Each structure stands twice: as structure tokens, then as C-alpha cells.
Amino acid sequence: MKLLIELKNIISKQLPKMPREYISRLIMDRNHESMLIVRNKGKVSRVIGGVVYRVFEANKFVEIAFLAITSLEQVKGYGTRLMNKLKAYLQTRKLKYMLTYADNNAIGYFKKQGFSTIPRMPKHLWLGYIKDYDSGTLMDCYLNPNIDYDNISRDLDNQKAVLLETVKRFYTLKKYNGIAFEGSDEASRKRKIEEIVDNETMFERIPGMVESGWSYTAYKKSIMDYKKTSFFNQCQDILKRLKSHSSSWPFRKPVSVEEAPNYTELIEQPMDLETVEKKLDARIYYLKKESFVRDIQLIFDNAMNYNKINTIYHKYAVDLKNYIAPYLTQLKEPTELEIRAYTGLKQPKGSYDNLEIRVQLNCINEVTVYDAVSYTHLRAHETRHDLVCRLLLEKKKKKKK
């Protein structure tokens, strides 16, 4: 019962427009079943997500009523794992279809899980059995009996390996000596390379370019596409969209003491769009998609927790969170090359020995500069951001002494 109540609270928070009485009634209804994701930490168990569904055994289908993951654990793959576990379980019960009514923010997720907006299930099997929602889109998914949903990631990796191995048999790798540049100055060599790739005639003289199918036009287009789709440009685009939205004005600046005297007492980690922008410009914080998404969602979760549900601040937070959700879902992880270019870190992947970091922490209340911080190795599970914050705290402690 305790776990079901925790799931109800998660669903209520993630679906604020859904009446809480309706959510409670379906979760506690004997005709509905629930599958939960529970994190066990010592003797404490905590629900981080779940799905509520109803099985129609005679008609061989399932209706999904609710599916939600707590905001702090989103964009980590839990939703996909939960759906695959549900599919594998339903296979054991010889069921063939899954149906759900998805709102506009959930359509993208369900499409990734194999659902389609074009119903494949015969209409007479479900018509009159499930409740019709005017604001939702009916989607269904066929449960293929030949797919092992429990191990679908492993099977896809194996298929990819076989495909790559097959491709290697049909092409031969030809190596060219490349182009020799006079002088050993790195800056002059870089200028020479830029002159070549920005000149159509010189570009086509690079050994192997034409043979590999590249053209100067295709090369320039790929550069423009890369700039548009790189992780950090996507982050800037998301910030731009949020700041230009008509409902974003309460979240553009930090909450002041004059506006809310007890804000810091109730909200442990304040966040706003200006702070996110400063952290993005600092080039040390957002080295993973998860970090950026967490801060963006934190802005709206804080507003929803602090303000009552009937206030404009709560309404604007819900609107913005739903508006930006598809863009956060489409946000890709940064590549190692992007991270090194973004941070100026010249260390090879996975190497943090004798790490030299020039760090500038742009905080709201102070700006601290480390001219050259040498650290032989990072601690276990410690990120560069954690390293910098720890060194900052150590420096402050030394000043107090």
C-alpha cells in the first residue's frame, strides 16, 4: 500500500492537470494493476516511477492508464526499461496489443517505445472497453512474440556488430600519406588547414576526398549541420526558447529575498534561467545531458513545490515544463570531441592524471578564479565540476583558519 501511495504522488506531480481523486481511484481499483520501479538503499525502499494498466484478457489487450518517472530520475532510461519489462511480462500472459491515450508531450516517448498513432488493433476489440479522452491521441503497440523485450538492447548491439562486420568484408581501406606542411608552428599549420578546407579547388586536391564521395558543398553543409546539432548549441537554443516564451518572466532571474523571504528555507537548491546560462558559459558544468536537463527541470519543480496550484507561477511552471519537454528529450549527449572543444581540455579520453584546470566559477554572488589548479587524479565517481567545487570549499576553509 505504501508503494502504491508513493506512485500516486509521483503521477500526481507529473500530471498536475489530472484530478488526484481519479488517479487514486484507478491505482486502488482491483481491475487495475501496477508495475513499479523501486530503488533499495539499505533498508529504505523508494519508488522512482511506475505504470498503471488494465488487462482485458478476453480481447488480448492492455490499456495503459498512467506512466510516470519522478522528475529527478528522468532522462536516464528508466521509462524505456519499465516499458520493456511490462512488454516482457505481458508476453507471458499471451496478450497481443497495448493501447493508451497520450497527450501531446507523451506522443514522442510512446513512438520510441513502438507505439503508433495509426491503430493496428481491430477497432471492435477495444471500442466500448476503454474510456475515450478528447484531449489525447489514441496509440497502440503490437507485442511481437518473436522479440525478447527483456534483452532487446543486447540483441540490437549484437545485430549492429554483425552488420559492421559484414560491411567490413565489402570495402578496402586505402591509406594516403596526407599533406606535409612547412614549419613546426601549430598555429601556422592550423591556418594552412583552414585555407585548404575553405577553398574548393584545394579541398578537392586533398588525397582521398573525391574518392570517398566527399564534395566541397557536402563538406560545408555537414559543418553547418554539425553546428546546429551539437550538444552545446542545442542547450543554447533551449535557453533561447525558454527566455523568449511569454510565460518565462518569473524564472529568468533568481528569486529575490524581497519577493519571497522564506524561499531559501523551503527550496534547498534554487535555480533560474540566468544561472543556467552562466553555468553554460562557464564551460565546466554541463558535460552531460543529465546535468543540463536536471537544472532546467529544477527551475519548474521548485516553482511547483513553492507556489500553490492555483497561482500563475505554478501554472506558468507547468506550461513551460510541458513546452520544453520534447526539446529536452531530443537533446543528444555531447561527444568527447565536443567536450574537449567546449572546455579547452586537451587530455585524451579517460585520462585525468596531472590534470591542469583553469577554472572560472561564475556564481551569482561571487566570481572565483583558479589560475592553475593541479590535481594528480580525481576521486572515485568525482566529476570535474565536483573537483572544482571541493577545491573551492577547501580554499574557503583555509581562509577561515
Side-chain angles (χ1 to χ4, degrees):
M1 181 63 73
K2 177 179 176 293
L3 298 179
L4 288 178
I5 292 173
E6 288 184 33
L7 176 61
K8 183 211 68 159
N9 293 335
I10 292 173
I11 294 172
S12 299
K13 192 171 183 179
Q14 297 304 314
L15 303 173
K17 294 182 180 180
M18 191 69 67
R20 295 195 176 190
E21 296 79 9
Y22 178 70
I23 296 173
S24 301
R25 179 154 46 87
L26 261 60
I27 290 178
M28 302 304 172
D29 181 20
R30 292 182 180 273
N31 293 320
H32 286 77
E33 302 175 21
S34 300
M35 180 177 286
L36 286 67
I37 302 177
V38 180
R39 173 174 290 164
N40 295 315
K41 193 172 183 180
K43 295 182 179 180
V44 180
S45 298
R46 185 169 65 90
V47 176
I48 62 174
V51 56
V52 181
Y53 57 93
R54 182 175 180 177
V55 178
F56 295 87
E57 297 278 3
N59 295 38
K60 301 294 183 183
F61 81 92
V62 165
E63 178 195 11
I64 295 179
F66 308 115
L67 190 150
I69 305 294
T70 184
S71 57
L72 296 176
E73 302 295 341
Q74 288 181 5
V75 202
K76 295 182 181 180
Y78 287 119
T80 298
R81 294 179 191 177
L82 177 62
M83 184 62 75
N84 287 336
K85 285 292 182 184
L86 178 61
K87 289 177 180 178
Y89 169 67
L90 297 177
Q91 277 181 327
T92 63
R93 296 175 64 168
K94 309 299 182 185
L95 300 173
K96 293 183 178 180
Y97 292 96
M98 302 171 70
L99 268 70
T100 189
Y101 272 95
D103 60 26
N104 293 332
N105 298 316
I107 289 176
Y109 164 78
F110 281 107
K111 280 186 175 180
K112 290 181 180 179
Q113 308 308 318
F115 284 73
S116 172
T117 53
I118 303 174
R120 290 161 288 188
M121 181 180 175
K123 191 173 182 178
H124 70 273
L125 292 177
W126 60 265
L127 187 63
Y129 288 90
I130 65 176
K131 185 177 179 180
D132 190 16
Y133 295 91
D134 294 333
S135 59
T137 301
L138 181 64
M139 303 183 74
D140 74 357
C141 175
Y142 173 66
L143 296 174
N144 194 321
N146 299 318
I147 295 178
D148 180 6
Y149 290 106
D150 268 331
N151 299 296
I152 193 169
S153 298
R154 180 203 63 190
D155 293 343
L156 289 173
D157 288 340
N158 291 340
Q159 289 180 13
K160 181 180 178 180
V162 171
L163 180 61
L164 291 175
E165 189 61 34
T166 305
V167 169
K168 287 180 182 178
R169 299 175 189 169
F170 294 95
Y171 80 92
T172 55
L173 184 64
K174 184 177 180 180
K175 292 185 179 181
Y176 294 87
N177 293 328
I179 299 176
F181 298 105
E182 295 181 359
S184 58
D185 179 57
E186 184 177 348
S188 62
R189 288 200 302 271
K190 186 176 180 181
R191 284 195 299 271
K192 189 69 175 176
I193 292 172
E194 290 174 352
E195 290 173 10
I196 290 175
V197 297
D198 285 336
N199 183 293
E200 185 171 358
T201 304
M202 291 294 292
F203 179 86
E204 293 178 354
R205 286 173 55 189
I206 298 175
M209 280 294 184
V210 176
E211 292 86 342
S212 64
W214 275 97
S215 67
Y216 181 74
T217 305
Y219 165 75
K220 296 298 285 185
K221 183 178 183 301
S222 70
I223 294 297
M224 293 301 295
D225 291 343
Y226 170 76
K227 288 180 178 179
K228 290 178 182 178
T229 59
S230 70
F231 170 76
F232 300 104
N233 284 334
Q234 281 185 300
C235 291
Q236 289 172 341
D237 179 66
I238 288 172
L239 275 176
K240 185 178 178 181
R241 289 177 182 276
L242 284 171
K243 290 169 68 177
S244 61
H245 196 282
S246 59
S247 300
S248 69
W249 60 266
F251 315 111
R252 293 172 188 165
K253 299 280 185 181
V255 177
S256 65
V257 179
E258 292 77 15
E259 293 173 327
N262 64 336
Y263 188 78
T264 53
E265 297 175 9
L266 301 175
I267 301 299
E268 294 182 2
Q269 190 177 355
M271 190 57 60
D272 59 274
L273 294 174
E274 183 181 273
T275 302
V276 172
E277 188 172 23
K278 285 184 177 182
K279 292 174 74 173
L280 188 63
D281 292 340
R283 296 176 179 263
I284 58 170
Y285 292 96
Y286 300 131
L287 306 185
K288 287 184 178 181
K289 172 182 176 178
E290 174 190 340
S291 303
F292 181 78
V293 172
R294 182 176 61 244
D295 276 359
I296 292 294
Q297 291 180 337
L298 187 61
I299 297 173
F300 310 123
D301 288 342
N302 286 347
M304 292 161 65
N305 289 332
Y306 183 78
N307 298 285
K308 294 181 179 180
I309 196 168
N310 59 344
T311 62
I312 59 169
Y313 301 109
H314 191 284
K315 179 183 179 299
Y316 286 169
V318 173
D319 291 345
L320 277 177
K321 187 174 183 178
N322 293 336
Y323 163 73
I324 210 65
Y327 297 100
L328 294 177
T329 302
Q330 295 168 11
L331 183 65
K332 62 166 192 165
E333 286 285 355
T335 63
E336 180 68 19
L337 185 63
E338 285 179 328
I339 292 174
R340 287 161 62 183
Y342 177 71
T343 59
L345 180 65
K346 296 183 179 179
Q347 295 286 115
K349 184 178 181 180
S351 174
Y352 291 99
D353 290 340
N354 300 317
L355 184 63
E356 293 287 335
I357 308 175
R358 177 176 287 270
V359 180
Q360 181 168 332
L361 289 179
N362 292 306
C363 302
I364 298 174
N365 298 322
E366 65 176 298
V367 176
T368 306
V369 179
Y370 283 103
D371 292 326
V373 177
S374 298
Y375 199 71
T376 54
H377 62 277
L378 296 171
R379 291 179 181 175
H381 308 297
E382 188 174 48
T383 64
R384 292 180 66 213
H385 173 223
D386 296 331
L387 167 64
V388 172
C389 291
R390 180 162 54 79
L391 292 173
L392 177 60
L393 290 173
E394 290 176 0
K395 186 175 182 179
K396 287 184 176 180
K397 288 179 180 178
K398 288 180 180 178
K399 283 183 178 180
K400 289 181 179 179
K401 290 180 180 179

